[in-house]
Amino acid sequence: MTKTNIAVLGAQWGDEGKGKIVDMLTPHFAAVARYQGGHNAGHTVYVDGKKFVLHLIPSGILHAGVTCVIGNGVVIDPQALFKEVDELRQLGIDVDGRLMVSEKAHIILPYHRELDVLSEARRGERKIGTTSRGIGPAYEDKIGRRGIRVCDLLGDRNALAEEVRENVSARNRIIRESTLDWKPLFDQVVADGERMRPWVGDVSLFLHRLIKEGKPVMFEGAQATLLDIDHGTYPFVTSSNASVGGVCTGLGLPPRAIGGVLGVAKAYTTRVGEGPLPTELSGELADRLRESGQEYGASTGRPRRCGWFDAVVVRYSARINGLDAVALTKLDVLDGLPEVLICTGYRTSSGTITEFPADLRLLAGAEAIYERMPGWTSPTKGATRFEDLPGEAQRYVRKLEELTGVACAIISTGSDRRETIVKGGSLVESWLEGVPG
Ligand code: IMP
């Protein structure tokens, strides 16, 4: 078992294949902890050809003996959590004793979903394209200091009744002609709290103790850096800190608890929802990437927008997160393309830029500047050694490393756990003695 606690997070716009990477690394850790987001995430993992989609519970739950933690930075829809627990139970996986939920995590209430949909409708053409899971409104209530936390469900009932009553009347003022009754909602959240009670605890204390005993923890990000509320393509972002800063605030850990940061990046780029995607493709090529990469949302089933690898984006992610290494996923999806392109900058109305801008208006109408490389005809699919990749694919990976400034320590060549290259002598290899590859 490694001694290093590492964060594994998305380096692009999400759906980079973090589920598989986390799943593969999990046996080397005592615990896996989610630090932000909610059931807007969807982590797909294939084990022996069987497909698992997890939304809230870290995919580490598929490994016996690993504790899975949902931190205070996560917003929890109790119904979504129970559904996931029940589905896992049907697969023979019991979460009791292995799942810990932060007492400080905020609750998504049913009307947060309504508010999400309403807010999108009111934005009209400027809509974000959210997952409609109530994530944004739940975080709004948290920051507005009127949120309801897991510990509130388990504490003083009169205080909780007061909170629910006030929240419902505030919501009734927002949604005109709405007369939602607070009492059934109160009864519901009390029942939800009781069902969650056995899992609830002090996540910060638990993780501190684990780390002190020399037991390593993996911090699992959801969504990704370009969807981060502060560093992403605002306002087309999610409402939490998906980048590495979220680890400290979302789990109650100091920065020195993070021993390494692994960014997960796809060998091309995808995005769901609205907002800029400078390397976006259309037509046949986009369809081809979407079909062979199965680029449909794990949570919502929406088709993902597809484009070439954007080195500006991943270099930016490397800076924001201090990436020690990249896990490059879905290289095999590019198999058979005559040519592969990598974006190195943007030609905008105010000149060429090579750093990701804060003001998205700069990207409107911007033209991506590409480095073009020959594709490869023999497959990378299933390769487990870097040397076995076709020469052109090796050169493509090396070029990505040069342009982003980060080594690709892991390369995924298929959806199965076994279809993975761990580069010899890489930092990740030294973190994880004994990973196959
Ligand atoms: P929200 O998180 O539902 O508020 O959605 C905000 C934005 O983040 C939208 O563009 C969503 O499509 C995007 N988003 C949220 N969760 C994910 C995810 O797990 N993968 C990719 N995009 C996501």
Side-chain angles (χ1 to χ4, degrees):
M1 200 178 263
T2 176
K3 288 267 174 280
T4 312
N5 307 314
I6 66 165
V8 179
L9 46 82
Q12 296 158 320
W13 276 280
D15 309 312
E16 295 93 348
K18 294 183 286 294
K20 171 182 161 170
I21 302 298
V22 168
D23 182 56
M24 181 193 125
L25 301 181
T26 295
H28 301 267
F29 294 86
V32 183
R34 267 281 299 272
Y35 57 88
Q36 46 70 232
H39 66 308
N40 47 350
H43 287 178
T44 308
V45 185
Y46 293 85
V47 185
D48 297 328
K50 244 204 243 168
K51 184 178 170 182
F52 297 87
V53 185
L54 291 155
H55 301 280
L56 262 173
I57 300 175
S59 40
I61 203 74
L62 302 174
H63 296 260
V66 174
T67 305
C68 288
V69 173
I70 297 180
N72 59 278
V74 175
V75 284
I76 301 172
D77 180 330
Q79 309 317 320
L81 178 63
F82 301 150
K83 184 165 176 277
E84 215 160 301
V85 166
D86 291 342
E87 280 170 7
L88 284 165
R89 207 160 270 155
Q90 274 167 18
L91 294 167
I93 298 164
D94 195 355
V95 304
D96 286 339
R98 294 188 46 215
L99 174 66
M100 186 171 195
V101 175
S102 170
E103 53 200 356
K104 295 182 190 163
H106 281 246
I107 295 296
I108 300 178
L109 295 166
Y111 61 76
H112 286 135
R113 287 195 295 274
E114 273 172 71
L115 291 173
D116 199 346
V117 173
L118 186 73
S119 150
E120 286 284 86
R122 285 187 180 160
R123 288 183 71 98
E125 295 227 313
R126 290 173 51 252
K127 74 174 195 289
I128 309 295
T130 71
T131 59
S132 319
R133 301 286 199 270
I135 306 292
Y139 279 114
E140 277 179 49
D141 278 356
K142 171 178 176 172
I143 301 301
R145 295 168 294 193
R146 56 182 172 267
I148 294 177
R149 299 181 300 167
V150 170
C151 60
D152 300 327
L153 306 186
L154 305 176
D156 180 71
R157 291 277 151 88
N158 290 330
L160 177 62
E162 188 62 25
E163 287 281 331
V164 173
R165 223 178 357 231
E166 272 179 25
N167 273 284
V168 167
S169 73
R171 169 218 170 266
N172 284 346
R173 284 194 297 274
I174 298 172
I175 305 177
R176 281 188 290 276
E177 291 156 26
S178 170
T179 52
L180 181 72
D181 185 4
W182 71 275
K183 186 61 172 58
L185 184 61
F186 169 74
D187 293 340
Q188 177 69 57
V189 295
V190 167
D192 291 347
E194 288 311 316
R195 186 161 177 205
M196 273 193 269
R197 193 184 281 278
W199 308 322
V200 178
D202 184 336
V203 157
S204 164
L205 186 63
F206 173 76
L207 293 176
H208 271 271
R209 286 186 176 152
L210 213 58
I211 292 169
K212 217 167 156 198
E213 286 167 24
K215 295 189 177 145
V217 182
M218 177 166 25
F219 312 119
E220 178 181 348
Q223 292 84 50
T225 306
L226 275 290
L227 288 172
D228 182 285
I229 184 77
D230 283 284
H231 300 292
T233 44
Y234 191 89
F236 303 100
V237 289
T238 192
S239 300
S240 61
N241 285 116
S243 62
V244 74
V247 173
C248 297
T249 55
L251 292 168
L253 288 175
R256 66 173 173 274
I258 308 167
V261 188
L262 177 66
V264 186
K266 229 176 254 191
Y268 48 99
T269 313
T270 63
R271 148 161 231 178
V272 271
E274 308 302 317
L277 179 57
T279 61
E280 185 162 13
L281 292 164
S282 58
E284 238 173 73
L285 200 46
D287 294 344
R288 177 177 168 169
L289 288 178
R290 189 173 304 111
E291 288 316 310
S292 72
Q294 276 308 295
E295 298 297 353
Y296 295 90
S299 278
T300 58
R302 290 182 289 178
R304 297 179 186 139
R305 298 155 66 195
C306 298
W308 294 117
F309 187 92
D310 190 333
V312 179
V313 161
V314 178
R315 194 155 45 82
Y316 171 72
S317 275
R319 164 157 59 88
I320 297 288
N321 297 299
L323 296 186
D324 292 297
V326 159
L328 188 73
T329 60
K330 293 192 156 183
L331 182 64
D332 55 298
V333 172
L334 302 179
D335 286 358
L337 289 175
E339 198 182 31
V340 282
L341 276 63
I342 309 168
C343 172
T344 58
Y346 316 119
R347 210 167 280 121
T348 75
S349 51
S350 25
T352 295
I353 53 171
T354 54
E355 297 296 339
F356 204 82
D359 186 349
L360 301 186
R361 277 167 294 214
L362 263 181
L363 291 179
E367 194 194 326
I369 302 166
Y370 288 113
E371 181 139 349
R372 309 176 89 95
M373 300 190 71
W376 44 94
T377 44
S378 51
T380 66
K381 171 97 179 122
T384 54
R385 296 182 337 150
F386 188 72
E387 309 77 73
D388 294 342
L389 295 177
E392 293 86 354
Q394 292 188 23
R395 278 191 284 283
Y396 179 68
V397 174
R398 288 211 187 91
K399 181 55 82 178
L400 299 187
E401 294 180 325
E402 178 196 318
L403 292 171
T404 60
V406 192
C408 296
I410 297 177
I411 300 165
S412 170
T413 57
S415 53
D416 195 86
R417 269 186 209 170
R418 287 167 293 231
E419 296 175 309
T420 311
I421 297 168
V422 178
K423 275 218 254 150
S426 71
L427 184 60
V428 169
E429 203 190 40
S430 68
W431 286 342
L432 315 161
E433 325 88 47
V435 172

